[in-house]
Amino acid sequence: MPEPSVLAALVSGLRSGAIEVVDLTSPLSSSTPVIQLPPQFGQTAVFELEEISRYDDRGPAWYWNNFRSGEHTGTHFDAPNHWVTGKDLTDVASVPARRLIAPAAVLDFTAEVAENPDFLVEIDHVKAWEAENGPLPEGGWLLLRTGWDARSESQEAFLNADENGPHTPGLSAEAARWVAEEAPVIGLGVETVGTDAGGAHSFDPAYPCHSYLMGSDKYGLTQLRNLAALPPTGSVVIAGPLPIVTGSGAPARVLALVERS
């Protein structure tokens, strides 16, 4: 008998449960937390549905809606042209489809963030993870598990802001530069509202994850959840943003494939 094809083996694994599909996406609704910038800047839209018809005289056999949303509302994909450093690079519709399916490394900092919501991941933290788990995956994602998804039902708890601004974890400026310029990954995924730490407005440069990653033709995934269901290595992420022509990003359904013994 011929050996089963790779795709047939994948389908068999999905059917048997040997490969689990983990949804990393936060449900999108009017209560989904959104980033808040200082009032002098433009603001993203809260997700809204406008009913067109619902089995009534506007359309007797069908239900559908218009929706309004910011590109960077909810679980979303940051394209390089989102930031000024990548303004001449790829829009979200031009991201090569092959880059939307990639392996992932999951680094767990939930204990550190529980003690300090402003916790910053440094290069040495990543190097220590690599010493235990092997190198970051070539062409893959670096995902930061911080436990922040537990706050996703509350705008106030999710942004965790006071008079000094938001307090959320992320990468240090040095780690952001390293991930963008030296690490073999294609992007960074986080559970928080954006790829940068809450205090990144005062880093040098400001918002270094956006500045360095977008300028290096890399990507961001934000407001992920269920990273606790992923192993440190071995999972495969499927990120499906809307292909908005000239768009700087888009809401995305993000899934992970995990092999279970």
Side-chain angles (χ1 to χ4, degrees):
M1 294 289 291
E3 290 291 323
S5 71
V6 172
L7 289 178
L10 172 62
V11 171
S12 176
L14 291 168
R15 286 178 174 170
S16 70
I19 299 173
E20 180 184 358
V21 181
V22 180
D23 197 344
L24 306 184
T25 315
S26 297
L28 193 54
S29 72
S30 59
S31 62
T32 298
V34 297
I35 195 168
Q36 290 181 337
L37 300 182
Q40 67 267 32
F41 298 121
Q43 306 293 328
T44 193
V46 173
F47 182 83
E48 297 177 357
L49 280 182
E50 176 194 12
E51 188 175 277
I52 302 172
S53 69
R54 193 177 182 115
Y55 328 119
D56 52 28
D57 56 3
R58 298 168 300 169
W62 52 90
Y63 165 55
W64 57 341
N65 302 286
N66 293 317
F67 69 85
R68 180 174 185 264
S69 176
E71 294 175 330
H72 300 267
T73 297
T75 301
H76 64 269
F77 188 104
D78 289 347
N81 70 335
H82 176 43
W83 211 251
V84 65
T85 52
K87 64 184 178 66
D88 298 320
L89 299 176
T90 314
D91 68 14
V92 71
S94 303
V95 175
R98 60 180 173 78
R99 302 192 88 187
L100 299 177
I101 304 175
V106 182
L107 282 62
D108 183 2
F109 297 104
T110 53
E112 292 87 345
V113 172
E115 294 291 328
N116 175 19
D118 290 311
F119 175 78
L120 298 179
V121 177
E122 302 287 356
I123 298 172
D124 285 347
H125 291 120
V126 183
K127 294 290 187 181
W129 183 92
E130 288 186 306
E132 182 175 349
N133 297 281
L136 295 176
E138 184 78 30
W141 288 96
L142 172 60
L143 304 182
L144 299 184
R145 180 186 165 205
T146 58
W148 211 258
D149 57 338
R151 299 169 174 254
S152 61
E153 301 303 320
S154 165
Q155 170 86 2
E156 182 179 1
F158 199 70
L159 298 188
N160 196 37
D162 60 18
E163 65 277 5
N164 297 314
H167 297 274
T168 61
L171 298 181
S172 71
E174 293 77 13
R177 184 205 59 77
W178 183 84
V179 169
E181 299 178 2
E182 299 186 42
V185 296
I186 60 170
L188 172 71
V190 299
E191 297 170 330
T192 48
V193 73
T195 53
D196 273 293
H201 54 83
S202 60
F203 290 5
D204 185 17
Y207 305 104
C209 285
H210 284 81
S211 182
Y212 287 131
L213 267 74
M214 306 295 98
S216 298
D217 201 25
K218 293 189 175 183
Y219 313 126
L221 288 174
T222 76
Q223 287 182 250
L224 300 174
R225 60 170 55 187
N226 299 325
L227 292 183
L230 273 55
T233 64
S235 62
V236 174
V237 167
I238 303 169
L242 297 173
I244 302 170
V245 175
T246 76
S248 70
R253 187 73 181 263
V254 183
L255 308 174
L257 303 181
V258 180
E259 191 170 0
R260 302 300 189 194
S261 57

